[in-house]
Amino acid sequence: MTMSSHEIQAYVLTYLEALDCQILERSPAHVTVKLSPEADKALTNRPYYWGFVERVGVEPETMSFTFVFDPEAYQQMMETAEAKAKAAKAAQPAPAAPETDSSAPKDTILGRYFGITPSMPQLGPGRILREDVVYGSRRLQQIFAAAREGGAFVNLFEQAAKRQIRATAPAVYEPWLGVCFKIEFACDLKREELHFLGISLRSGEIVENFGSKLSRRDLSPRLAENMHAQAPKISLADAGAALESHLTRQLSKLDYSWAEKAQERLQMELDVVDAYYEAVLREDMPEVEKSEETEHARAASNRLTVRETSNNQVVPSPPEAPPVQALNNRVRGMLEPVASDAELAAEPALTPAEQQADPEQDKAKQAFMDREAMKRQYETRRTEMIWQYEPKVKVTAISSGMFHLR
């Protein structure tokens, strides 16, 4: 899912206008805006500045931005404007420079309360910063997050006509709960739908496409004059459960042949993965026939065994061996004698210098480690296939609100 530059511009402008930002300049490729205090708090990440302003109680100085939605078109526009400005300047004589006192300090908040502050590079509200707002950019993601946080729940009232304000009897509001659900149909493909449902908290009536009903009304967060809001008869928890039940019934009526096809594709992918890794794991696996003698050898391999080397030295084998080495020890145990406890007690302890690494053991240990790593890779691959291809339906409530309508 992606957005074009025109869709991004429309979304950003809607957000800025909703927060009462001042539009200074606008073109199809960009917009220059002076942020409102609410937008500045949400987008500029200046908590210390706003804490100072709120404690002192002074007029805040918000920042200004140039949001560029089409960088190439904006660059061409700036080059054209610069070329025209140079041509006009070359055609006209240069005016005399006015006499200004550059040493005069500028009036700032810190200067008014703490005296004259030293001059510093202009990085604050007087500077217009440029931001490229394209799909996937950090600034656009920040605007998305601010819009979700600020508009997750609203409380709006329908504005009354002027004749109602002058009427003797107050008009009555009916409370409605509106919830916008996002439904995701996902497998290796994905489709999303938005369902805006509304339910009356007085009668329990459920209206689909509730947004179209709201679009024809003038809504405001303030309660209009000569209007009366009725108390709800249905709680918010019951209303939310009723909307979920209604949406579940609607989803049960849909065609889910896409899920059956996705399940078939998932099974095909799992069959391919199983066939590949089973062949790989079977390659270096020795086959040993199980019999009474091999079972007796397994019991004997759990004890401390010894073997004679070429120079008549005795080397103790480790108490626990990897599976591949254990198989070798079982067969070797049938051919080599097992020392008694008295013989083991009489043998002198081996010094570290006398203990030498066995290449066969190292090779078997490495083979065991490689096999375990291959098993983990096999399980990870199966998990990835299931996550990607398994059909699922996910329902999320992305926004909601109380709407008092006439």
Side-chain angles (χ1 to χ4, degrees), residues 282-303:
R282 199 186 307 118
E283 283 183 356
D284 296 329
M285 184 64 182
E287 297 182 359
V288 179
E289 296 181 358
K290 294 184 178 180
S291 61
E292 295 181 358
E293 296 180 352
T294 57
E295 292 298 331
H296 178 72
R298 169 189 285 181
S301 64
N302 293 331
R303 296 179 298 171

PDB file of all heavy atoms in Angstrom, residues 282-303:
ATOM      1  N   ARG A 282      18.931 -36.272   6.476  1.00  0.00           N
ATOM      2  CA  ARG A 282      19.126 -37.705   6.356  1.00  0.00           C
ATOM      3  C   ARG A 282      20.493 -38.068   5.792  1.00  0.00           C
ATOM      4  O   ARG A 282      20.893 -39.235   5.818  1.00  0.00           O
ATOM      5  CB  ARG A 282      18.025 -38.291   5.467  1.00  0.00           C
ATOM      6  CG  ARG A 282      17.849 -39.803   5.627  1.00  0.00           C
ATOM      7  CD  ARG A 282      16.855 -40.365   4.620  1.00  0.00           C
ATOM      8  NE  ARG A 282      15.607 -39.670   4.656  1.00  0.00           N
ATOM      9  CZ  ARG A 282      15.096 -38.979   3.634  1.00  0.00           C
ATOM     10  NH1 ARG A 282      15.785 -38.892   2.497  1.00  0.00           N
ATOM     11  NH2 ARG A 282      13.936 -38.380   3.725  1.00  0.00           N
ATOM     12  N   GLU A 283      21.230 -37.097   5.248  1.00  0.00           N
ATOM     13  CA  GLU A 283      22.462 -37.399   4.516  1.00  0.00           C
ATOM     14  C   GLU A 283      23.508 -38.085   5.392  1.00  0.00           C
ATOM     15  O   GLU A 283      23.980 -39.173   5.110  1.00  0.00           O
ATOM     16  CB  GLU A 283      23.038 -36.111   3.925  1.00  0.00           C
ATOM     17  CG  GLU A 283      22.300 -35.654   2.686  1.00  0.00           C
ATOM     18  CD  GLU A 283      22.939 -34.419   2.080  1.00  0.00           C
ATOM     19  OE1 GLU A 283      23.901 -33.903   2.690  1.00  0.00           O
ATOM     20  OE2 GLU A 283      22.490 -33.989   1.020  1.00  0.00           O
ATOM     21  N   ASP A 284      23.910 -37.469   6.496  1.00  0.00           N
ATOM     22  CA  ASP A 284      25.005 -37.992   7.321  1.00  0.00           C
ATOM     23  C   ASP A 284      24.497 -38.687   8.575  1.00  0.00           C
ATOM     24  O   ASP A 284      25.174 -38.696   9.600  1.00  0.00           O
ATOM     25  CB  ASP A 284      25.953 -36.849   7.723  1.00  0.00           C
ATOM     26  CG  ASP A 284      26.627 -36.247   6.507  1.00  0.00           C
ATOM     27  OD1 ASP A 284      26.845 -37.006   5.549  1.00  0.00           O
ATOM     28  OD2 ASP A 284      26.928 -35.042   6.524  1.00  0.00           O
ATOM     29  N   MET A 285      23.316 -39.272   8.517  1.00  0.00           N
ATOM     30  CA  MET A 285      22.764 -39.966   9.675  1.00  0.00           C
ATOM     31  C   MET A 285      23.066 -41.447   9.568  1.00  0.00           C
ATOM     32  O   MET A 285      22.510 -42.145   8.719  1.00  0.00           O
ATOM     33  CB  MET A 285      21.251 -39.737   9.740  1.00  0.00           C
ATOM     34  CG  MET A 285      20.601 -40.335  10.967  1.00  0.00           C
ATOM     35  SD  MET A 285      21.206 -39.558  12.478  1.00  0.00           S
ATOM     36  CE  MET A 285      20.296 -40.509  13.701  1.00  0.00           C
ATOM     37  N   PRO A 286      23.947 -42.037  10.382  1.00  0.00           N
ATOM     38  CA  PRO A 286      24.267 -43.466  10.290  1.00  0.00           C
ATOM     39  C   PRO A 286      23.104 -44.309  10.775  1.00  0.00           C
ATOM     40  O   PRO A 286      22.373 -43.939  11.687  1.00  0.00           O
ATOM     41  CB  PRO A 286      25.489 -43.615  11.198  1.00  0.00           C
ATOM     42  CG  PRO A 286      25.371 -42.492  12.166  1.00  0.00           C
ATOM     43  CD  PRO A 286      24.722 -41.362  11.434  1.00  0.00           C
ATOM     44  N   GLU A 287      22.921 -45.446  10.120  1.00  0.00           N
ATOM     45  CA  GLU A 287      21.852 -46.375  10.469  1.00  0.00           C
ATOM     46  C   GLU A 287      22.464 -47.556  11.216  1.00  0.00           C
ATOM     47  O   GLU A 287      23.365 -48.235  10.724  1.00  0.00           O
ATOM     48  CB  GLU A 287      21.127 -46.864   9.215  1.00  0.00           C
ATOM     49  CG  GLU A 287      20.427 -45.735   8.452  1.00  0.00           C
ATOM     50  CD  GLU A 287      19.684 -46.261   7.241  1.00  0.00           C
ATOM     51  OE1 GLU A 287      19.743 -47.485   7.025  1.00  0.00           O
ATOM     52  OE2 GLU A 287      19.063 -45.457   6.530  1.00  0.00           O
ATOM     53  N   VAL A 288      21.963 -47.863  12.414  1.00  0.00           N
ATOM     54  CA  VAL A 288      22.462 -48.949  13.261  1.00  0.00           C
ATOM     55  C   VAL A 288      21.275 -49.815  13.656  1.00  0.00           C
ATOM     56  O   VAL A 288      20.253 -49.295  14.114  1.00  0.00           O
ATOM     57  CB  VAL A 288      23.168 -48.391  14.519  1.00  0.00           C
ATOM     58  CG1 VAL A 288      23.659 -49.534  15.403  1.00  0.00           C
ATOM     59  CG2 VAL A 288      24.307 -47.492  14.109  1.00  0.00           C
ATOM     60  N   GLU A 289      21.388 -51.088  13.431  1.00  0.00           N
ATOM     61  CA  GLU A 289      20.312 -51.991  13.784  1.00  0.00           C
ATOM     62  C   GLU A 289      20.267 -52.145  15.300  1.00  0.00           C
ATOM     63  O   GLU A 289      21.286 -52.344  15.963  1.00  0.00           O
ATOM     64  CB  GLU A 289      20.545 -53.365  13.139  1.00  0.00           C
ATOM     65  CG  GLU A 289      20.510 -53.318  11.620  1.00  0.00           C
ATOM     66  CD  GLU A 289      20.710 -54.693  11.040  1.00  0.00           C
ATOM     67  OE1 GLU A 289      20.911 -55.646  11.844  1.00  0.00           O
ATOM     68  OE2 GLU A 289      20.663 -54.813   9.809  1.00  0.00           O
ATOM     69  N   LYS A 290      19.064 -52.041  15.826  1.00  0.00           N
ATOM     70  CA  LYS A 290      18.884 -52.171  17.257  1.00  0.00           C
ATOM     71  C   LYS A 290      18.708 -53.650  17.623  1.00  0.00           C
ATOM     72  O   LYS A 290      17.920 -54.355  17.019  1.00  0.00           O
ATOM     73  CB  LYS A 290      17.661 -51.380  17.718  1.00  0.00           C
ATOM     74  CG  LYS A 290      17.821 -49.878  17.554  1.00  0.00           C
ATOM     75  CD  LYS A 290      16.626 -49.140  18.105  1.00  0.00           C
ATOM     76  CE  LYS A 290      16.815 -47.644  17.973  1.00  0.00           C
ATOM     77  NZ  LYS A 290      15.669 -46.891  18.513  1.00  0.00           N
ATOM     78  N   SER A 291      19.447 -54.130  18.585  1.00  0.00           N
ATOM     79  CA  SER A 291      19.352 -55.507  19.065  1.00  0.00           C
ATOM     80  C   SER A 291      19.652 -55.507  20.550  1.00  0.00           C
ATOM     81  O   SER A 291      19.917 -54.474  21.155  1.00  0.00           O
ATOM     82  CB  SER A 291      20.338 -56.407  18.309  1.00  0.00           C
ATOM     83  OG  SER A 291      21.661 -55.946  18.525  1.00  0.00           O
ATOM     84  N   GLU A 292      19.597 -56.693  21.119  1.00  0.00           N
ATOM     85  CA  GLU A 292      19.856 -56.797  22.543  1.00  0.00           C
ATOM     86  C   GLU A 292      21.293 -56.419  22.864  1.00  0.00           C
ATOM     87  O   GLU A 292      21.580 -55.785  23.884  1.00  0.00           O
ATOM     88  CB  GLU A 292      19.586 -58.230  23.025  1.00  0.00           C
ATOM     89  CG  GLU A 292      18.123 -58.632  22.907  1.00  0.00           C
ATOM     90  CD  GLU A 292      17.885 -60.041  23.410  1.00  0.00           C
ATOM     91  OE1 GLU A 292      18.888 -60.694  23.810  1.00  0.00           O
ATOM     92  OE2 GLU A 292      16.734 -60.464  23.409  1.00  0.00           O
ATOM     93  N   GLU A 293      22.215 -56.774  21.967  1.00  0.00           N
ATOM     94  CA  GLU A 293      23.625 -56.461  22.221  1.00  0.00           C
ATOM     95  C   GLU A 293      23.859 -54.953  22.169  1.00  0.00           C
ATOM     96  O   GLU A 293      24.607 -54.403  22.981  1.00  0.00           O
ATOM     97  CB  GLU A 293      24.499 -57.180  21.201  1.00  0.00           C
ATOM     98  CG  GLU A 293      24.418 -58.715  21.328  1.00  0.00           C
ATOM     99  CD  GLU A 293      25.294 -59.413  20.307  1.00  0.00           C
ATOM    100  OE1 GLU A 293      25.818 -58.684  19.442  1.00  0.00           O
ATOM    101  OE2 GLU A 293      25.462 -60.629  20.376  1.00  0.00           O
ATOM    102  N   THR A 294      23.243 -54.260  21.201  1.00  0.00           N
ATOM    103  CA  THR A 294      23.434 -52.799  21.116  1.00  0.00           C
ATOM    104  C   THR A 294      22.796 -52.095  22.291  1.00  0.00           C
ATOM    105  O   THR A 294      23.302 -51.070  22.771  1.00  0.00           O
ATOM    106  CB  THR A 294      22.852 -52.267  19.804  1.00  0.00           C
ATOM    107  OG1 THR A 294      21.460 -52.631  19.722  1.00  0.00           O
ATOM    108  CG2 THR A 294      23.582 -52.838  18.611  1.00  0.00           C
ATOM    109  N   GLU A 295      21.650 -52.617  22.799  1.00  0.00           N
ATOM    110  CA  GLU A 295      21.037 -52.016  23.973  1.00  0.00           C
ATOM    111  C   GLU A 295      21.931 -52.201  25.188  1.00  0.00           C
ATOM    112  O   GLU A 295      22.052 -51.307  26.034  1.00  0.00           O
ATOM    113  CB  GLU A 295      19.658 -52.648  24.229  1.00  0.00           C
ATOM    114  CG  GLU A 295      18.603 -52.308  23.179  1.00  0.00           C
ATOM    115  CD  GLU A 295      18.327 -50.818  23.138  1.00  0.00           C
ATOM    116  OE1 GLU A 295      18.478 -50.154  24.192  1.00  0.00           O
ATOM    117  OE2 GLU A 295      17.985 -50.315  22.058  1.00  0.00           O
ATOM    118  N   HIS A 296      22.574 -53.386  25.284  1.00  0.00           N
ATOM    119  CA  HIS A 296      23.513 -53.603  26.387  1.00  0.00           C
ATOM    120  C   HIS A 296      24.723 -52.680  26.253  1.00  0.00           C
ATOM    121  O   HIS A 296      25.247 -52.176  27.251  1.00  0.00           O
ATOM    122  CB  HIS A 296      23.953 -55.069  26.394  1.00  0.00           C
ATOM    123  CG  HIS A 296      24.952 -55.369  27.479  1.00  0.00           C
ATOM    124  ND1 HIS A 296      24.608 -55.412  28.823  1.00  0.00           N
ATOM    125  CD2 HIS A 296      26.291 -55.633  27.404  1.00  0.00           C
ATOM    126  CE1 HIS A 296      25.675 -55.682  29.532  1.00  0.00           C
ATOM    127  NE2 HIS A 296      26.720 -55.822  28.711  1.00  0.00           N
ATOM    128  N   ALA A 297      25.155 -52.432  25.002  1.00  0.00           N
ATOM    129  CA  ALA A 297      26.289 -51.523  24.786  1.00  0.00           C
ATOM    130  C   ALA A 297      25.931 -50.093  25.163  1.00  0.00           C
ATOM    131  O   ALA A 297      26.768 -49.337  25.648  1.00  0.00           O
ATOM    132  CB  ALA A 297      26.737 -51.587  23.325  1.00  0.00           C
ATOM    133  N   ARG A 298      24.668 -49.681  24.940  1.00  0.00           N
ATOM    134  CA  ARG A 298      24.257 -48.327  25.326  1.00  0.00           C
ATOM    135  C   ARG A 298      24.360 -48.153  26.844  1.00  0.00           C
ATOM    136  O   ARG A 298      24.819 -47.117  27.340  1.00  0.00           O
ATOM    137  CB  ARG A 298      22.832 -48.057  24.868  1.00  0.00           C
ATOM    138  CG  ARG A 298      22.254 -46.768  25.470  1.00  0.00           C
ATOM    139  CD  ARG A 298      20.773 -46.604  25.206  1.00  0.00           C
ATOM    140  NE  ARG A 298      20.533 -46.217  23.839  1.00  0.00           N
ATOM    141  CZ  ARG A 298      19.316 -45.974  23.334  1.00  0.00           C
ATOM    142  NH1 ARG A 298      18.252 -46.127  24.095  1.00  0.00           N
ATOM    143  NH2 ARG A 298      19.168 -45.606  22.070  1.00  0.00           N
ATOM    144  N   ALA A 299      23.919 -49.188  27.612  1.00  0.00           N
ATOM    145  CA  ALA A 299      24.009 -49.092  29.064  1.00  0.00           C
ATOM    146  C   ALA A 299      25.463 -49.027  29.504  1.00  0.00           C
ATOM    147  O   ALA A 299      25.819 -48.315  30.450  1.00  0.00           O
ATOM    148  CB  ALA A 299      23.300 -50.283  29.712  1.00  0.00           C
ATOM    149  N   ALA A 300      26.307 -49.778  28.799  1.00  0.00           N
ATOM    150  CA  ALA A 300      27.718 -49.776  29.171  1.00  0.00           C
ATOM    151  C   ALA A 300      28.392 -48.467  28.821  1.00  0.00           C
ATOM    152  O   ALA A 300      29.334 -48.040  29.483  1.00  0.00           O
ATOM    153  CB  ALA A 300      28.439 -50.943  28.477  1.00  0.00           C
ATOM    154  N   SER A 301      27.933 -47.788  27.753  1.00  0.00           N
ATOM    155  CA  SER A 301      28.569 -46.524  27.343  1.00  0.00           C
ATOM    156  C   SER A 301      28.285 -45.404  28.303  1.00  0.00           C
ATOM    157  O   SER A 301      28.981 -44.387  28.286  1.00  0.00           O
ATOM    158  CB  SER A 301      28.074 -46.131  25.940  1.00  0.00           C
ATOM    159  OG  SER A 301      26.680 -45.873  25.973  1.00  0.00           O
ATOM    160  N   ASN A 302      27.246 -45.535  29.161  1.00  0.00           N
ATOM    161  CA  ASN A 302      26.953 -44.484  30.133  1.00  0.00           C
ATOM    162  C   ASN A 302      27.954 -44.481  31.276  1.00  0.00           C
ATOM    163  O   ASN A 302      28.021 -43.521  32.034  1.00  0.00           O
ATOM    164  CB  ASN A 302      25.539 -44.646  30.686  1.00  0.00           C
ATOM    165  CG  ASN A 302      24.491 -44.394  29.628  1.00  0.00           C
ATOM    166  OD1 ASN A 302      24.732 -43.615  28.709  1.00  0.00           O
ATOM    167  ND2 ASN A 302      23.337 -45.051  29.745  1.00  0.00           N
ATOM    168  N   ARG A 303      28.688 -45.597  31.427  1.00  0.00           N
ATOM    169  CA  ARG A 303      29.717 -45.643  32.470  1.00  0.00           C
ATOM    170  C   ARG A 303      31.058 -45.223  31.882  1.00  0.00           C
ATOM    171  O   ARG A 303      31.198 -45.068  30.676  1.00  0.00           O
ATOM    172  CB  ARG A 303      29.800 -47.055  33.061  1.00  0.00           C
ATOM    173  CG  ARG A 303      28.507 -47.466  33.786  1.00  0.00           C
ATOM    174  CD  ARG A 303      28.620 -48.872  34.324  1.00  0.00           C
ATOM    175  NE  ARG A 303      28.809 -49.845  33.257  1.00  0.00           N
ATOM    176  CZ  ARG A 303      29.116 -51.126  33.462  1.00  0.00           C
ATOM    177  NH1 ARG A 303      29.308 -51.562  34.675  1.00  0.00           N
ATOM    178  NH2 ARG A 303      29.258 -51.947  32.433  1.00  0.00           N
TER     179      ARG A 303
END
